[in-house]
Amino acid sequence: MNQPISSSTSLAAILELFALPFSDLLFRAQQTHRQHFDPNAIQCSTLLSIKTGACPEDCGYCAQSVHHHAELAITPLMPLEEVVETARAAREQGARRFCMGAAWRTPHDRDLDRVADMVRAVRGLGMETCVTLGMLREDQAETLREAGLDYYNHNLDTSPEFYGQVIHSRGYQDRLDTLDAVRRAGIRVCCGGILGMGESRRDRARLLEMLASLPEAPESIPINALVPIPGTPMADAEPVDGIEFVRTIAVARLLFPASHVRLAAGRENMEEALQALAFLAGANSIFLGDRLLTTDNASLGQDRRLFEKLGLHPA
Ligand code: SAM
Ligand code: DTB
Ligand code: SF4
């Protein structure tokens, strides 16, 4: 099992990786990690919800769907100045990338121009930019690229087989089409998924297989642990087992040796030791800052202490 893993890795081979003894899997992932990255450097992005709630989609995990009953302050698209101020504060706190999320099925052109202005302004602060705005056509992606957008986040979320139990309002192929449009416009891709929605290991492996079968590997791969939100259909989902979560990170590291693998949402509910294992397994990116989109993140103070304990530094 020491041959390199290519992007055409089959489901069977991915499942074999998942089934390795934990220490062997982590050792291999750590070896791969060290061949491509400084193992103690963690890429830090900060999230901001620039338009919150009232989303017509029905993603079962999400607080922002109009179909669910989460407690949420619905807000229209934020003014440019407020976005820039928040980005500046994030930069002071150590974030290199600023990610702006909007609860849209797809952006209206008028709104897209406003987001393009935000991208220009945040880039003007010397930060990398990422946005996640729902489905995108290629001409819309080009508008964002011309504004200087570095990354577009659009997740496959789960396997094609489990997807229908999570989302009904937009198909798997719609997501692949958006990823294609973003790629063709020359924007880097941030694409991953969520664990802990009731999916099986096979679904987790299939998600990674789908990511590996994209024409180019995503540069950034967020692995979220479901943040269970009261009022959503997944409020009471059984949390994913911690060791299984770390295994998924390790397999992602092996399949995508040169990508940033993000230990994304869900850190607030994770022990430090579990996060440390995830870093050992090859996670080298986090969301930094007290808030994700609509929920709390691990606090800045907690993260400072964790970085110090583990000898990590932001990159
Ligand atoms: N509306 C846009 C879209 O879905 O394309 C962008 C925002 S959406 C909130 C971005 C991603 O956040 C989702 O695809 C999902 O993977 C993740 N996410 C949303 N709610 C989550 C939750 N409760 N727990 C973990 N991840 C979540
Ligand atoms: C991603 O994969 N995770 C982020 C980001 N991309 C946009 C979102 C996490 C959201 C967590 C739940 C919330 O705060 O609403
Ligand atoms: Fe809307 Fe995005 Fe939430 Fe789905 S994940 S309901 S598209 S905001």
Side-chain angles (χ1 to χ4, degrees):
M1 282 294 288
N2 260 339
Q3 66 273 39
I5 291 151
S6 80
S7 59
S8 59
T9 306
S10 69
L11 179 62
I14 295 174
L15 283 167
E16 267 180 43
L17 292 175
F18 266 96
L20 281 173
F22 190 65
S23 297
D24 294 346
L25 175 59
L26 254 66
F27 182 65
R28 287 190 57 180
Q30 179 65 199
Q31 274 181 319
T32 301
H33 193 183
R34 281 169 185 267
Q35 282 160 14
H36 293 85
F37 290 101
D38 170 351
N40 303 311
I42 304 290
Q43 188 278 331
C44 294
S45 299
T46 291
L47 275 171
L48 175 66
S49 181
I50 56 172
K51 184 268 172 187
T52 307
C55 182
E57 303 287 328
D58 69 352
C59 313
Y61 46 75
C62 186
Q64 305 196 64
S65 167
V66 79
H67 304 277
H68 309 153
H69 305 98
E71 209 175 292
L72 186 73
I74 296 172
T75 53
L77 189 57
M78 223 179 236
L80 177 65
E81 297 68 33
E82 213 175 310
V83 173
V84 175
E85 270 322 297
T86 314
R88 192 175 282 123
R91 188 186 62 180
E92 306 300 289
Q93 292 170 345
R96 291 264 175 90
R97 188 180 308 162
F98 195 63
C99 306
M100 296 164 269
W104 289 319
R105 175 172 166 78
T106 184
H108 291 298
D109 287 345
R110 195 184 55 245
D111 290 331
L112 192 74
D113 289 340
R114 287 184 57 194
V115 175
D117 288 341
M118 294 172 189
V119 168
R120 268 184 220 100
V122 173
R123 269 206 129 217
L125 299 174
M127 299 180 87
E128 290 184 325
T129 51
C130 177
V131 298
T132 176
L133 315 172
M135 293 190 286
L136 218 59
R137 299 187 310 268
E138 194 173 345
D139 63 296
Q140 295 176 309
E142 275 162 9
T143 301
L144 293 171
R145 197 220 35 222
E146 279 157 21
L149 183 70
D150 296 295
Y151 291 84
Y152 195 83
N153 167 243
H154 197 66
N155 291 338
L156 289 178
D157 277 349
T158 189
S159 69
E161 294 76 22
F162 190 69
Y163 184 89
Q165 293 188 44
V166 180
I167 299 149
H168 314 94
S169 54
R170 135 199 317 168
Y172 213 80
Q173 187 58 46
D174 294 324
R175 291 182 183 256
L176 294 170
D177 290 347
T178 292
L179 293 172
D180 194 43
V182 166
R183 194 48 103 186
R184 275 188 280 117
I187 299 170
R188 278 173 271 183
V189 169
C190 172
C191 182
I194 308 178
L195 311 188
M197 300 191 294
E199 78 287 341
S200 64
R201 172 178 284 184
R202 189 184 172 84
D203 292 312
R204 293 187 274 275
R206 276 283 281 153
L207 166 66
L208 296 181
E209 187 194 17
M210 291 306 293
L211 291 171
S213 72
L214 294 173
E216 274 182 76
E219 283 80 1
S220 170
I221 303 181
I223 306 291
N224 297 277
L226 177 75
V227 180
I229 300 175
T232 65
M234 293 191 174
D236 300 318
E238 180 79 17
V240 62
D241 174 76
I243 299 297
E244 181 70 7
F245 186 86
V246 173
R247 281 184 182 276
T248 309
I249 298 256
V251 176
R253 168 51 65 223
L254 289 169
L255 294 178
F256 305 100
S259 302
H260 278 91
V261 175
R262 183 171 304 117
L263 172 53
R267 288 193 306 114
E268 219 220 349
N269 300 326
M270 279 180 207
E271 300 281 346
E272 284 185 340
L274 185 59
Q275 296 186 55
L277 273 181
F279 295 134
L280 198 61
N284 60 349
S285 170
I286 58 165
F287 289 123
L288 188 73
D290 296 348
R291 291 287 281 174
L292 294 168
L293 290 175
T294 69
T295 63
D296 283 342
N297 192 19
S299 76
L300 208 59
Q302 282 171 326
D303 282 344
R304 287 219 174 99
R305 280 192 295 281
L306 183 60
F307 274 40
E308 204 168 304
K309 277 193 196 181
L310 300 179
L312 299 174
H313 56 86

